[in-house]
Amino acid sequence: MTQPAPPSHLATSSAASEHNNASPTIAMPPLDAWLHRQQSTGGSNMTAALLAWVEGPPPTLTALRRLAGDRLAHYRRLRQLPSPVHPTADSWPLWSTGPHFEADHHIVESPDVATTGPDAHLAALFTAPLDQRRPPWQLHLIPTAGGFVLLFRAHHALLDGGSIATVLRALFDEAATLHPPRAGGTATADAPSRARQLGWILGDLLPKARPLPFHGPVDSHRVLSFRQVPRKEFDAARAALSPTASAERASTNAVFLTATAGALRTTGLTGHLLPTFPGICALVPVDVRTHEESALLGNHYATVRVPLPLQRDARLRLAAVDSFIRRGAIGARARAQAAVVSSRPHKITPLSNAASRYVDSPRYFSLLCSSVSTHAGELTLGPARLTAMAAIPPLGPGHPLAVTVTHHGSTSVVTTITDGNHRQLAQPLAERIHDEIRLLAN
């Protein structure tokens, strides 16, 4: 099946008139604007997505649209569209907001998988152009044997991974509400000093990453591979940090990053068996919403670069990664970075364009490693039950490979996404990451 080329820049003159005139336009926040300007023709496709596997009878398309109208219409963000009122290359992009939530245009059924197989069908849907005349998001209902799949995709300028999870979760009924852990809030006695925050900001300007053999141009095709991992394996791997059950366990994110480092090493992608400078460096998105902002849509995250050690001993790698996460206070570091980004003036300059290109460089980070959790108990849609979810990130310029892990209930899903030229990496890396988790668990 031929996958359609990704869309050109979303801010074009074809935008629907109701979005241009329904309400005053507003300037995009800096992170939205940066992600918006990343869109281009060719291999860069800034669509992000979340995939949900559901067991049980699928709803009709009409019923799903009605449910979305009831539960999603109050989200103003889902009515926003990039405005083309200032088409010059150096103008700051704007959001305009339409007056109506249009479920019929955004929610579609995509049942034809017989000739391509489910993963190829999902990859084709993921890269299909979003309608430039409407807010850039779409929900696909895909019936399967014994259940159905929901694929929610959106331009990253509109929604980040946490936002997509919030929107998709809103469609489901919750048996019990589990609140996400607090990720911010007021300053405490342990808050980082201004000097430390300045050190972080300056450190983020330095090249720290080694380019890996797969770095290079990204084509317009996408290949997806999924590996379901029982959460009990993740939990057992977290305990590998210490031989005593009473000691503090490693974080699930540390386990994921450690397993990814091991998978890169054992598949020969790192080029060297011993750590060298610069080393392998994961770019890790960190949600900066406070507990009170947990349902806030948009882009509310910052990225932290985490060194991926390459020792042969998996437990030594886990100890190094977990130590960096704790010592580096990545939550506070991300919030400090987000504050700097949000304070930027709404101007596009040669310096900001150069900085954007540098941040995409393989010398800035070797690999995107993203982790998402629903922070929920059992979720149902009528008689059907959500069993697992998988995050699918964009591939930025020069980075034809990314890996994610998504946690829901008793199941985690490791996902690898590559472009078409690197399809040989997708399945082996997903399997090897799972192998590395099991190695830590045993």
Side-chain angles (χ1 to χ4, degrees), residues 49-52 68 71-78 137 139 150 152 154 158-174 178 180 287 289-300 372-376 379 386 389 391 406-408:
L50 192 63
L51 183 66
R71 299 190 177 184
L72 304 184
H74 69 280
Y75 287 118
R76 176 186 173 92
R77 187 78 176 185
L78 298 182
W137 66 272
L139 175 64
L150 294 176
F152 191 106
L158 185 75
L159 300 173
D160 62 12
S163 297
I164 296 177
T166 294
V167 172
L168 201 53
R169 177 176 166 179
L171 290 173
F172 288 84
D173 296 313
E174 302 189 31
L178 303 179
D287 196 319
R289 295 169 178 87
T290 65
H291 173 68
E292 292 76 13
E293 297 169 336
S294 60
L296 185 64
L297 301 190
N299 285 288
H300 302 281
V372 177
S373 177
T374 62
H375 300 296
L379 300 177
L386 176 63
M389 302 182 83
T406 311
H407 308 289
H408 172 69

Tab-separated table of all heavy atoms in Angstrom, residues 49-52 68 71-78 137 139 150 152 154 158-174 178 180 287 289-300 372-376 379 386 389 391 406-408:
chain	number	residue	atom	x	y	z
A	49	ALA	N	0.749	10.521	17.684
A	49	ALA	CA	-0.452	9.694	17.792
A	49	ALA	C	-0.401	8.818	19.030
A	49	ALA	O	0.668	8.569	19.599
A	49	ALA	CB	-0.613	8.818	16.544
A	50	LEU	N	-1.579	8.364	19.426
A	50	LEU	CA	-1.720	7.391	20.508
A	50	LEU	C	-2.684	6.320	20.036
A	50	LEU	O	-3.758	6.620	19.505
A	50	LEU	CB	-2.240	8.056	21.776
A	50	LEU	CG	-2.164	7.234	23.069
A	50	LEU	CD1	-0.712	6.925	23.423
A	50	LEU	CD2	-2.813	7.979	24.229
A	51	LEU	N	-2.280	5.080	20.214
A	51	LEU	CA	-3.042	3.922	19.759
A	51	LEU	C	-3.603	3.192	20.966
A	51	LEU	O	-2.891	2.960	21.943
A	51	LEU	CB	-2.112	3.000	18.964
A	51	LEU	CG	-2.693	1.753	18.326
A	51	LEU	CD1	-3.671	2.113	17.227
A	51	LEU	CD2	-1.556	0.904	17.748
A	52	ALA	N	-4.900	2.851	20.916
A	52	ALA	CA	-5.545	2.138	22.020
A	52	ALA	C	-6.149	0.846	21.497
A	52	ALA	O	-6.928	0.865	20.530
A	52	ALA	CB	-6.629	3.008	22.647
A	68	ALA	N	-18.122	11.620	21.379
A	68	ALA	CA	-17.097	12.664	21.287
A	68	ALA	C	-17.718	14.044	21.410
A	68	ALA	O	-17.157	14.939	22.062
A	68	ALA	CB	-16.341	12.534	19.967
A	71	ARG	N	-18.354	14.590	25.150
A	71	ARG	CA	-17.233	14.610	26.091
A	71	ARG	C	-16.034	15.454	25.664
A	71	ARG	O	-15.185	15.787	26.492
A	71	ARG	CB	-16.774	13.178	26.363
A	71	ARG	CG	-17.869	12.316	26.978
A	71	ARG	CD	-17.332	10.995	27.462
A	71	ARG	NE	-18.381	10.205	28.108
A	71	ARG	CZ	-18.182	9.031	28.688
A	71	ARG	NH1	-16.959	8.501	28.700
A	71	ARG	NH2	-19.181	8.373	29.249
A	72	LEU	N	-15.933	15.771	24.379
A	72	LEU	CA	-14.759	16.490	23.907
A	72	LEU	C	-15.055	17.903	23.442
A	72	LEU	O	-14.136	18.706	23.268
A	72	LEU	CB	-14.093	15.725	22.747
A	72	LEU	CG	-13.686	14.277	22.996
A	72	LEU	CD1	-12.961	13.719	21.777
A	72	LEU	CD2	-12.825	14.140	24.242
A	73	ALA	N	-16.331	18.223	23.236
A	73	ALA	CA	-16.679	19.520	22.643
A	73	ALA	C	-16.247	20.693	23.516
A	73	ALA	O	-16.026	21.795	23.008
A	73	ALA	CB	-18.179	19.585	22.366
A	74	HIS	N	-16.109	20.497	24.828
A	74	HIS	CA	-15.740	21.615	25.703
A	74	HIS	C	-14.255	21.942	25.635
A	74	HIS	O	-13.818	22.952	26.192
A	74	HIS	CB	-16.137	21.319	27.150
A	74	HIS	CG	-15.332	20.230	27.784
A	74	HIS	ND1	-15.590	18.894	27.552
A	74	HIS	CD2	-14.258	20.268	28.630
A	74	HIS	CE1	-14.724	18.164	28.235
A	74	HIS	NE2	-13.905	18.965	28.885
A	75	TYR	N	-13.462	21.103	24.958
A	75	TYR	CA	-12.036	21.397	24.826
A	75	TYR	C	-11.835	22.420	23.697
A	75	TYR	O	-11.877	22.074	22.510
A	75	TYR	CB	-11.244	20.132	24.513
A	75	TYR	CG	-11.091	19.172	25.665
A	75	TYR	CD1	-11.613	17.886	25.584
A	75	TYR	CD2	-10.396	19.533	26.810
A	75	TYR	CE1	-11.453	16.977	26.629
A	75	TYR	CE2	-10.231	18.638	27.865
A	75	TYR	CZ	-10.767	17.372	27.759
A	75	TYR	OH	-10.612	16.488	28.798
A	76	ARG	N	-11.603	23.660	24.061
A	76	ARG	CA	-11.382	24.715	23.066
A	76	ARG	C	-10.198	24.367	22.154
A	76	ARG	O	-10.199	24.693	20.958
A	76	ARG	CB	-11.126	26.043	23.792
A	76	ARG	CG	-10.773	27.215	22.883
A	76	ARG	CD	-10.402	28.443	23.719
A	76	ARG	NE	-9.898	29.519	22.884
A	76	ARG	CZ	-10.639	30.475	22.379
A	76	ARG	NH1	-11.944	30.478	22.604
A	76	ARG	NH2	-10.107	31.420	21.632
A	77	ARG	N	-9.219	23.707	22.728
A	77	ARG	CA	-8.011	23.386	21.956
A	77	ARG	C	-8.342	22.565	20.710
A	77	ARG	O	-7.672	22.689	19.675
A	77	ARG	CB	-7.043	22.606	22.849
A	77	ARG	CG	-5.669	22.347	22.226
A	77	ARG	CD	-4.802	23.582	22.283
A	77	ARG	NE	-3.462	23.321	21.777
A	77	ARG	CZ	-2.478	24.196	21.800
A	77	ARG	NH1	-2.671	25.395	22.309
A	77	ARG	NH2	-1.292	23.904	21.317
A	78	LEU	N	-9.368	21.717	20.763
A	78	LEU	CA	-9.712	20.865	19.634
A	78	LEU	C	-10.430	21.627	18.532
A	78	LEU	O	-10.778	21.046	17.499
A	78	LEU	CB	-10.575	19.691	20.109
A	78	LEU	CG	-9.899	18.751	21.108
A	78	LEU	CD1	-10.838	17.608	21.473
A	78	LEU	CD2	-8.589	18.203	20.554
A	137	TRP	N	-6.390	17.365	13.868
A	137	TRP	CA	-6.451	16.115	14.618
A	137	TRP	C	-7.503	15.212	14.001
A	137	TRP	O	-8.409	15.673	13.299
A	137	TRP	CB	-6.752	16.352	16.095
A	137	TRP	CG	-8.118	16.929	16.398
A	137	TRP	CD1	-8.464	18.245	16.447
A	137	TRP	CD2	-9.320	16.183	16.691
A	137	TRP	NE1	-9.792	18.385	16.754
A	137	TRP	CE2	-10.343	17.143	16.913
A	137	TRP	CE3	-9.621	14.825	16.789
A	137	TRP	CZ2	-11.657	16.769	17.224
A	137	TRP	CZ3	-10.931	14.453	17.098
A	137	TRP	CH2	-11.924	15.417	17.321
A	139	LEU	N	-9.515	11.096	14.739
A	139	LEU	CA	-9.680	9.850	15.490
A	139	LEU	C	-10.191	8.784	14.541
A	139	LEU	O	-11.232	8.959	13.900
A	139	LEU	CB	-10.659	10.051	16.648
A	139	LEU	CG	-11.020	8.807	17.466
A	139	LEU	CD1	-9.786	8.247	18.180
A	139	LEU	CD2	-12.120	9.115	18.477
A	150	LEU	N	-8.491	2.241	18.464
A	150	LEU	CA	-8.670	3.672	18.271
A	150	LEU	C	-7.302	4.303	18.049
A	150	LEU	O	-6.381	4.093	18.837
A	150	LEU	CB	-9.330	4.320	19.489
A	150	LEU	CG	-10.782	3.913	19.794
A	150	LEU	CD1	-11.252	4.568	21.091
A	150	LEU	CD2	-11.716	4.279	18.645
A	152	PHE	N	-5.710	7.930	17.653
A	152	PHE	CA	-5.896	9.377	17.743
A	152	PHE	C	-4.597	10.031	17.304
A	152	PHE	O	-3.545	9.798	17.896
A	152	PHE	CB	-6.235	9.798	19.176
A	152	PHE	CG	-6.692	11.232	19.288
A	152	PHE	CD1	-8.020	11.530	19.500
A	152	PHE	CD2	-5.789	12.281	19.178
A	152	PHE	CE1	-8.449	12.853	19.603
A	152	PHE	CE2	-6.201	13.601	19.269
A	152	PHE	CZ	-7.540	13.888	19.482
A	154	ALA	N	-2.644	13.778	15.868
A	154	ALA	CA	-2.747	15.230	15.842
A	154	ALA	C	-1.405	15.829	15.480
A	154	ALA	O	-0.348	15.231	15.727
A	154	ALA	CB	-3.200	15.762	17.200
A	158	LEU	N	-0.420	21.198	18.007
A	158	LEU	CA	-1.715	21.290	18.671
A	158	LEU	C	-1.719	20.547	20.000
A	158	LEU	O	-2.196	21.064	21.023
A	158	LEU	CB	-2.810	20.728	17.761
A	158	LEU	CG	-4.246	20.868	18.273
A	158	LEU	CD1	-4.715	22.304	18.121
A	158	LEU	CD2	-5.181	19.911	17.533
A	159	LEU	N	-1.206	19.318	20.017
A	159	LEU	CA	-1.282	18.468	21.201
A	159	LEU	C	0.027	17.728	21.407
A	159	LEU	O	0.615	17.207	20.455
A	159	LEU	CB	-2.402	17.425	21.052
A	159	LEU	CG	-3.835	17.934	20.847
A	159	LEU	CD1	-4.768	16.759	20.557
A	159	LEU	CD2	-4.321	18.706	22.061
A	160	ASP	N	0.479	17.640	22.675
A	160	ASP	CA	1.598	16.768	22.996
A	160	ASP	C	1.071	15.394	23.412
A	160	ASP	O	-0.151	15.149	23.414
A	160	ASP	CB	2.490	17.392	24.072
A	160	ASP	CG	1.765	17.626	25.399
A	160	ASP	OD1	0.653	17.115	25.589
A	160	ASP	OD2	2.341	18.339	26.258
A	161	GLY	N	1.982	14.481	23.758
A	161	GLY	CA	1.559	13.118	24.087
A	161	GLY	C	0.628	13.063	25.283
A	161	GLY	O	-0.356	12.304	25.287
A	162	GLY	N	0.903	13.877	26.309
A	162	GLY	CA	0.023	13.904	27.470
A	162	GLY	C	-1.358	14.407	27.127
A	162	GLY	O	-2.368	13.920	27.652
A	163	SER	N	-1.449	15.393	26.213
A	163	SER	CA	-2.740	15.920	25.790
A	163	SER	C	-3.549	14.877	25.040
A	163	SER	O	-4.758	14.737	25.243
A	163	SER	CB	-2.547	17.142	24.888
A	163	SER	OG	-1.916	18.198	25.566
A	164	ILE	N	-2.882	14.151	24.144
A	164	ILE	CA	-3.589	13.124	23.376
A	164	ILE	C	-4.116	12.050	24.315
A	164	ILE	O	-5.249	11.568	24.171
A	164	ILE	CB	-2.664	12.525	22.297
A	164	ILE	CG1	-2.273	13.596	21.274
A	164	ILE	CG2	-3.347	11.358	21.592
A	164	ILE	CD1	-1.301	13.121	20.222
A	165	ALA	N	-3.320	11.672	25.323
A	165	ALA	CA	-3.777	10.684	26.303
A	165	ALA	C	-4.991	11.215	27.069
A	165	ALA	O	-5.946	10.474	27.348
A	165	ALA	CB	-2.650	10.330	27.261
A	166	THR	N	-4.992	12.500	27.420
A	166	THR	CA	-6.121	13.099	28.134
A	166	THR	C	-7.388	13.051	27.289
A	166	THR	O	-8.473	12.696	27.776
A	166	THR	CB	-5.796	14.562	28.501
A	166	THR	OG1	-4.732	14.564	29.456
A	166	THR	CG2	-7.003	15.267	29.094
A	167	VAL	N	-7.273	13.412	26.007
A	167	VAL	CA	-8.439	13.419	25.124
A	167	VAL	C	-8.979	12.009	24.930
A	167	VAL	O	-10.194	11.767	25.024
A	167	VAL	CB	-8.076	14.050	23.764
A	167	VAL	CG1	-9.218	13.893	22.771
A	167	VAL	CG2	-7.741	15.530	23.933
A	168	LEU	N	-8.082	11.057	24.676
A	168	LEU	CA	-8.541	9.693	24.438
A	168	LEU	C	-9.147	9.093	25.699
A	168	LEU	O	-10.181	8.401	25.649
A	168	LEU	CB	-7.367	8.838	23.949
A	168	LEU	CG	-7.705	7.552	23.195
A	168	LEU	CD1	-8.648	7.819	22.035
A	168	LEU	CD2	-6.428	6.893	22.682
A	169	ARG	N	-8.547	9.385	26.834
A	169	ARG	CA	-9.073	8.866	28.098
A	169	ARG	C	-10.465	9.428	28.389
A	169	ARG	O	-11.305	8.751	28.979
A	169	ARG	CB	-8.103	9.223	29.228
A	169	ARG	CG	-8.541	8.805	30.608
A	169	ARG	CD	-7.459	9.116	31.633
A	169	ARG	NE	-7.940	9.036	32.998
A	169	ARG	CZ	-7.204	9.246	34.088
A	169	ARG	NH1	-5.926	9.554	33.935
A	169	ARG	NH2	-7.714	9.150	35.290
A	170	ALA	N	-10.734	10.664	27.955
A	170	ALA	CA	-12.033	11.283	28.212
A	170	ALA	C	-13.173	10.544	27.518
A	170	ALA	O	-14.335	10.659	27.924
A	170	ALA	CB	-12.008	12.744	27.768
A	171	LEU	N	-12.865	9.787	26.474
A	171	LEU	CA	-13.908	9.033	25.777
A	171	LEU	C	-14.341	7.798	26.558
A	171	LEU	O	-15.411	7.241	26.292
A	171	LEU	CB	-13.403	8.604	24.391
A	171	LEU	CG	-13.224	9.716	23.358
A	171	LEU	CD1	-12.569	9.155	22.107
A	171	LEU	CD2	-14.567	10.360	23.017
A	172	PHE	N	-13.511	7.362	27.498
A	172	PHE	CA	-13.779	6.121	28.221
A	172	PHE	C	-14.422	6.404	29.569
A	172	PHE	O	-14.259	7.476	30.148
A	172	PHE	CB	-12.477	5.342	28.430
A	172	PHE	CG	-11.918	4.721	27.183
A	172	PHE	CD1	-11.125	5.452	26.327
A	172	PHE	CD2	-12.196	3.393	26.869
A	172	PHE	CE1	-10.599	4.886	25.179
A	172	PHE	CE2	-11.685	2.814	25.719
A	172	PHE	CZ	-10.889	3.563	24.869
A	173	ASP	N	-15.150	5.401	30.073
A	173	ASP	CA	-15.658	5.449	31.441
A	173	ASP	C	-14.590	4.886	32.366
A	173	ASP	O	-13.936	3.894	32.043
A	173	ASP	CB	-16.941	4.617	31.571
A	173	ASP	CG	-18.066	5.187	30.721
A	173	ASP	OD1	-18.281	6.405	30.772
A	173	ASP	OD2	-18.718	4.402	30.004
A	174	GLU	N	-14.438	5.504	33.520
A	174	GLU	CA	-13.402	5.107	34.464
A	174	GLU	C	-14.020	4.403	35.658
A	174	GLU	O	-14.901	4.957	36.322
A	174	GLU	CB	-12.608	6.325	34.931
A	174	GLU	CG	-11.970	7.081	33.776
A	174	GLU	CD	-11.007	8.154	34.249
A	174	GLU	OE1	-10.398	7.962	35.317
A	174	GLU	OE2	-10.853	9.157	33.552
A	178	LEU	N	-7.626	7.439	39.254
A	178	LEU	CA	-6.302	7.491	39.865
A	178	LEU	C	-5.614	8.757	39.386
A	178	LEU	O	-5.431	8.953	38.192
A	178	LEU	CB	-5.474	6.251	39.467
A	178	LEU	CG	-6.093	4.894	39.808
A	178	LEU	CD1	-5.167	3.784	39.321
A	178	LEU	CD2	-6.309	4.776	41.307
A	180	PRO	N	-2.738	11.456	38.552
A	180	PRO	CA	-1.308	11.373	38.212
A	180	PRO	C	-0.451	11.927	39.336
A	180	PRO	O	-0.916	12.736	40.140
A	180	PRO	CB	-1.198	12.244	36.947
A	180	PRO	CG	-2.363	13.180	37.038
A	180	PRO	CD	-3.452	12.409	37.720
A	287	ASP	N	6.790	15.863	31.200
A	287	ASP	CA	5.583	16.663	31.389
A	287	ASP	C	5.815	17.664	32.521
A	287	ASP	O	6.308	17.297	33.585
A	287	ASP	CB	4.414	15.739	31.735
A	287	ASP	CG	3.062	16.403	31.564
A	287	ASP	OD1	2.928	17.583	31.939
A	287	ASP	OD2	2.125	15.743	31.075
A	289	ARG	N	3.259	19.782	33.624
A	289	ARG	CA	1.984	20.177	34.221
A	289	ARG	C	1.993	19.879	35.719
A	289	ARG	O	2.534	18.861	36.145
A	289	ARG	CB	0.827	19.408	33.575
A	289	ARG	CG	0.593	19.700	32.094
A	289	ARG	CD	-0.385	18.681	31.521
A	289	ARG	NE	-0.699	18.916	30.132
A	289	ARG	CZ	0.015	18.443	29.101
A	289	ARG	NH1	1.107	17.725	29.335
A	289	ARG	NH2	-0.349	18.688	27.864
A	290	THR	N	1.370	20.752	36.494
A	290	THR	CA	1.156	20.444	37.896
A	290	THR	C	-0.028	19.494	38.006
A	290	THR	O	-0.730	19.212	37.025
A	290	THR	CB	0.858	21.717	38.699
A	290	THR	OG1	-0.393	22.274	38.242
A	290	THR	CG2	1.967	22.742	38.537
A	291	HIS	N	-0.272	18.994	39.214
A	291	HIS	CA	-1.417	18.111	39.434
A	291	HIS	C	-2.718	18.802	39.010
A	291	HIS	O	-3.578	18.194	38.368
A	291	HIS	CB	-1.504	17.708	40.902
A	291	HIS	CG	-2.747	16.945	41.256
A	291	HIS	ND1	-2.986	15.673	40.800
A	291	HIS	CD2	-3.828	17.300	42.000
A	291	HIS	CE1	-4.170	15.255	41.256
A	291	HIS	NE2	-4.692	16.234	41.981
A	292	GLU	N	-2.852	20.076	39.333
A	292	GLU	CA	-4.064	20.807	38.991
A	292	GLU	C	-4.200	21.011	37.486
A	292	GLU	O	-5.294	21.250	36.979
A	292	GLU	CB	-4.078	22.172	39.696
A	292	GLU	CG	-4.237	22.095	41.220
A	292	GLU	CD	-2.948	21.672	41.915
A	292	GLU	OE1	-1.865	21.679	41.267
A	292	GLU	OE2	-3.022	21.325	43.101
A	293	GLU	N	-3.097	20.930	36.751
A	293	GLU	CA	-3.107	21.143	35.301
A	293	GLU	C	-3.087	19.830	34.513
A	293	GLU	O	-2.870	19.851	33.304
A	293	GLU	CB	-1.887	21.965	34.897
A	293	GLU	CG	-1.847	23.361	35.477
A	293	GLU	CD	-0.497	24.037	35.260
A	293	GLU	OE1	0.514	23.304	35.080
A	293	GLU	OE2	-0.454	25.273	35.284
A	294	SER	N	-3.344	18.721	35.160
A	294	SER	CA	-3.148	17.420	34.523
A	294	SER	C	-4.008	17.226	33.280
A	294	SER	O	-3.630	16.473	32.383
A	294	SER	CB	-3.428	16.296	35.522
A	294	SER	OG	-4.762	16.373	35.997
A	295	ALA	N	-5.164	17.891	33.192
A	295	ALA	CA	-6.040	17.751	32.026
A	295	ALA	C	-5.864	18.893	31.031
A	295	ALA	O	-6.653	19.020	30.090
A	295	ALA	CB	-7.500	17.671	32.475
A	296	LEU	N	-4.830	19.713	31.208
A	296	LEU	CA	-4.609	20.861	30.331
A	296	LEU	C	-4.067	20.388	28.983
A	296	LEU	O	-3.085	19.647	28.916
A	296	LEU	CB	-3.620	21.815	30.995
A	296	LEU	CG	-3.343	23.148	30.305
A	296	LEU	CD1	-4.603	23.997	30.265
A	296	LEU	CD2	-2.223	23.883	31.040
A	297	LEU	N	-4.708	20.828	27.902
A	297	LEU	CA	-4.262	20.438	26.564
A	297	LEU	C	-3.237	21.435	26.035
A	297	LEU	O	-3.089	22.543	26.533
A	297	LEU	CB	-5.453	20.363	25.611
A	297	LEU	CG	-6.580	19.389	25.965
A	297	LEU	CD1	-7.550	19.260	24.797
A	297	LEU	CD2	-6.044	18.024	26.377
A	298	GLY	N	-2.536	21.016	24.996
A	298	GLY	CA	-1.511	21.852	24.389
A	298	GLY	C	-0.156	21.201	24.515
A	298	GLY	O	-0.035	19.970	24.618
A	299	ASN	N	0.886	21.988	24.491
A	299	ASN	CA	2.256	21.501	24.656
A	299	ASN	C	2.817	22.027	25.963
A	299	ASN	O	3.121	23.218	26.085
A	299	ASN	CB	3.120	21.950	23.474
A	299	ASN	CG	2.842	21.146	22.217
A	299	ASN	OD1	3.221	19.980	22.126
A	299	ASN	ND2	2.160	21.757	21.267
A	300	HIS	N	2.910	21.136	26.928
A	300	HIS	CA	3.379	21.506	28.267
A	300	HIS	C	4.431	20.481	28.709
A	300	HIS	O	4.180	19.649	29.573
A	300	HIS	CB	2.208	21.566	29.241
A	300	HIS	CG	1.140	22.526	28.821
A	300	HIS	ND1	1.236	23.884	29.010
A	300	HIS	CD2	-0.037	22.315	28.177
A	300	HIS	CE1	0.166	24.476	28.515
A	300	HIS	NE2	-0.623	23.548	28.012
A	372	VAL	N	4.942	7.409	28.342
A	372	VAL	CA	3.609	7.955	28.608
A	372	VAL	C	2.859	6.969	29.486
A	372	VAL	O	2.975	5.752	29.312
A	372	VAL	CB	2.823	8.195	27.296
A	372	VAL	CG1	1.407	8.684	27.580
A	372	VAL	CG2	3.547	9.206	26.408
A	373	SER	N	2.076	7.479	30.434
A	373	SER	CA	1.218	6.626	31.262
A	373	SER	C	-0.170	7.222	31.316
A	373	SER	O	-0.338	8.448	31.335
A	373	SER	CB	1.787	6.506	32.677
A	373	SER	OG	0.927	5.730	33.489
A	374	THR	N	-1.188	6.356	31.320
A	374	THR	CA	-2.560	6.854	31.432
A	374	THR	C	-2.893	7.287	32.847
A	374	THR	O	-3.854	8.013	33.059
A	374	THR	CB	-3.567	5.779	31.016
A	374	THR	OG1	-3.456	4.658	31.906
A	374	THR	CG2	-3.348	5.342	29.585
A	375	HIS	N	-2.141	6.818	33.847
A	375	HIS	CA	-2.444	7.107	35.257
A	375	HIS	C	-3.905	6.789	35.548
A	375	HIS	O	-4.617	7.575	36.181
A	375	HIS	CB	-2.140	8.565	35.602
A	375	HIS	CG	-0.710	8.953	35.391
A	375	HIS	ND1	0.321	8.396	36.114
A	375	HIS	CD2	-0.142	9.827	34.528
A	375	HIS	CE1	1.466	8.929	35.716
A	375	HIS	NE2	1.214	9.783	34.761
A	376	ALA	N	-4.376	5.644	35.077
A	376	ALA	CA	-5.796	5.317	35.209
A	376	ALA	C	-5.972	3.880	35.644
A	376	ALA	O	-5.097	3.028	35.463
A	376	ALA	CB	-6.514	5.548	33.876
A	379	LEU	N	-10.478	1.234	32.177
A	379	LEU	CA	-11.210	2.138	31.301
A	379	LEU	C	-12.075	1.316	30.349
A	379	LEU	O	-11.599	0.347	29.747
A	379	LEU	CB	-10.253	3.015	30.497
A	379	LEU	CG	-9.314	3.931	31.291
A	379	LEU	CD1	-8.384	4.687	30.356
A	379	LEU	CD2	-10.099	4.910	32.153
A	386	LEU	N	-10.514	-1.222	27.573
A	386	LEU	CA	-9.203	-0.821	27.070
A	386	LEU	C	-8.132	-1.720	27.683
A	386	LEU	O	-8.041	-1.846	28.899
A	386	LEU	CB	-8.933	0.639	27.431
A	386	LEU	CG	-7.559	1.214	27.071
A	386	LEU	CD1	-7.338	1.205	25.573
A	386	LEU	CD2	-7.410	2.631	27.621
A	389	MET	N	-2.122	0.605	25.387
A	389	MET	CA	-1.961	1.808	24.574
A	389	MET	C	-0.510	1.916	24.105
A	389	MET	O	0.397	1.386	24.750
A	389	MET	CB	-2.352	3.060	25.365
A	389	MET	CG	-3.770	3.046	25.902
A	389	MET	SD	-4.215	4.566	26.791
A	389	MET	CE	-4.653	5.607	25.407
A	391	ALA	N	2.195	4.937	22.303
A	391	ALA	CA	2.463	6.283	21.797
A	391	ALA	C	3.315	6.186	20.538
A	391	ALA	O	4.258	5.388	20.467
A	391	ALA	CB	3.188	7.113	22.850
A	406	THR	N	4.590	2.882	26.722
A	406	THR	CA	3.319	3.415	27.199
A	406	THR	C	2.747	2.449	28.222
A	406	THR	O	2.632	1.243	27.957
A	406	THR	CB	2.334	3.587	26.034
A	406	THR	OG1	2.988	4.273	24.963
A	406	THR	CG2	1.115	4.387	26.461
A	407	HIS	N	2.369	2.978	29.380
A	407	HIS	CA	1.882	2.150	30.479
A	407	HIS	C	0.378	2.353	30.675
A	407	HIS	O	-0.088	3.484	30.778
A	407	HIS	CB	2.607	2.505	31.780
A	407	HIS	CG	4.094	2.491	31.679
A	407	HIS	ND1	4.827	1.335	31.540
A	407	HIS	CD2	5.001	3.508	31.682
A	407	HIS	CE1	6.114	1.630	31.474
A	407	HIS	NE2	6.241	2.949	31.555
A	408	HIS	N	-0.345	1.254	30.723
A	408	HIS	CA	-1.759	1.299	31.121
A	408	HIS	C	-2.111	-0.007	31.816
A	408	HIS	O	-1.920	-1.091	31.253
A	408	HIS	CB	-2.689	1.492	29.922
A	408	HIS	CG	-4.143	1.336	30.300
A	408	HIS	ND1	-4.797	2.257	31.090
A	408	HIS	CD2	-5.040	0.343	30.044
A	408	HIS	CE1	-6.043	1.840	31.288
A	408	HIS	NE2	-6.214	0.689	30.674
